[in-house]
């Protein structure tokens, strides 16, 4: 019986492959990392994904978790899933109920630009558009939009900036 050509070939070390990267890649493929700490700690490697999620009270198949209503015959009872790890479900609900933080911010260049325009021209957007520091040739509406974005993203900074502009000058006697 003839042998396959590959089995007769001598095994050679491949100097062009980085063995560290090959090992890292195989480790990534073998098992994905679970980001959520509670789920990662409660995960049982001996069980399937569906059984692990069912024990936590989570759904593996959305079609089975929310099926289309079908008429039941009398005497037919559906088996309810037993949740053995309810603390994970509670922890996920707590995290989901926390308000999301608005992380949008503006660049320091844009903040300085907006502050300069307000300092020089107050609310005159046409004058702002004609200003020599308007390098990008923004229209009055674009400048107004940038100022409103600054007001929305940094309300405390804006209030402090406006109050510093309107400080009364000391009286000269």
């Amino acid at each position: 019986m003839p042998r396959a050509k590959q089995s007769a070939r001598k095994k050679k070390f491949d100097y062009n492959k980085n063995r560290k990267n090959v090992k890292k890649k195989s480790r990534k493929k073998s098992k994905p990392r679970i980001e959520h700490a509670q789920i990662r700690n409660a995960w049982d490697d001996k069980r399937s994904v569906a059984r692990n999620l069912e024990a936590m009270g989570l759904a593996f198949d959305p079609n089975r978790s929310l099926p289309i209503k079908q008429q039941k015959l009398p005497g037919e009872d559906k088996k309810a899933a037993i949740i053995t790890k309810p603390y994970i479900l509670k922890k996920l609900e707590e995290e989901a109920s926390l308000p999301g933080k608005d992380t949008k911010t503006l660049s320091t260049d844009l903040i300085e630009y907006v502050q300069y325009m307000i300092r020089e021209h107050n609310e005159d957007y046409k004058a702002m558009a004609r200003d020599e520091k308007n390098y990008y040739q923004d229209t009055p509406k674009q400048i107004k939009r940038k100022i409103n974005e600054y007001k929305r993203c940094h309300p405390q900074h804006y209030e402090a900036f406006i109050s510093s502009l309107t400080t009364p000058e000391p009286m000269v006697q």
Side-chain angles (χ1 to χ4, degrees):
M1 191 165 179
R3 290 189 317 191
K5 283 187 178 181
Q6 289 179 348
S7 63
R9 205 177 334 151
K10 184 181 174 189
K11 302 234 186 261
K12 297 177 188 173
F13 185 79
D14 189 0
Y15 288 96
N16 295 326
K17 279 194 177 177
N18 185 343
R19 305 302 296 168
K20 189 176 181 182
N21 290 348
V22 170
K23 187 173 183 181
K24 221 187 274 185
K25 190 183 261 188
S26 69
R27 202 177 320 130
K28 269 188 181 177
K29 280 187 178 179
S30 64
K31 193 168 33 172
R33 172 149 171 79
I34 301 169
E35 293 297 325
H36 197 272
Q38 291 285 336
I39 294 175
R40 186 174 55 242
N41 293 336
W43 197 264
D44 186 5
D45 290 327
K46 295 174 184 151
R47 296 173 127 193
S48 69
V49 175
R51 295 291 160 250
N52 268 312
L53 292 176
E54 185 181 318
M56 294 176 206
L58 303 172
F60 176 71
D61 184 9
N63 294 326
R64 286 190 180 173
S65 64
L66 298 170
I68 299 171
K69 298 275 183 182
Q70 296 178 353
Q71 290 191 357
K72 293 182 186 178
L73 296 172
E76 185 182 322
D77 291 327
K78 189 174 181 182
K79 186 178 108 179
I82 300 169
I83 301 172
T84 57
K85 301 175 183 177
Y87 58 92
I88 293 177
L89 199 59
K90 290 176 185 164
K91 183 72 176 170
L92 287 172
E93 286 174 352
E94 285 175 18
E95 286 181 17
S97 66
L98 293 174
K101 188 177 180 183
D102 187 19
T103 57
K104 185 166 187 204
T105 185
L106 300 176
S107 68
T108 53
D109 294 337
L110 185 61
I111 292 172
E112 288 172 9
Y113 170 74
V114 167
Q115 287 180 350
Y116 168 79
M117 290 297 185
I118 293 172
R119 195 178 306 113
E120 295 297 317
H121 306 288
N122 291 332
E123 295 287 319
D124 189 5
Y125 300 111
K126 288 184 180 178
M128 290 180 193
R130 289 190 305 269
D131 193 288
E132 63 183 13
K133 294 257 176 140
N134 183 7
Y135 299 126
Y136 296 110
Q137 298 182 353
D138 293 331
T139 64
K141 277 193 174 181
Q142 288 172 325
I143 295 172
K144 184 176 183 179
R145 204 174 300 127
K146 287 180 181 180
I147 291 172
N148 288 338
E149 191 74 10
Y150 174 60
K151 288 178 189 177
R152 191 181 66 76
C153 290
H154 303 284
Q156 293 89 8
H157 292 269
Y158 177 76
E159 291 300 324
F161 173 68
I162 293 298
S163 64
S164 71
L165 288 179
T166 57
T167 53
E169 296 180 17
M171 293 195 320
V172 180
Q173 292 181 354

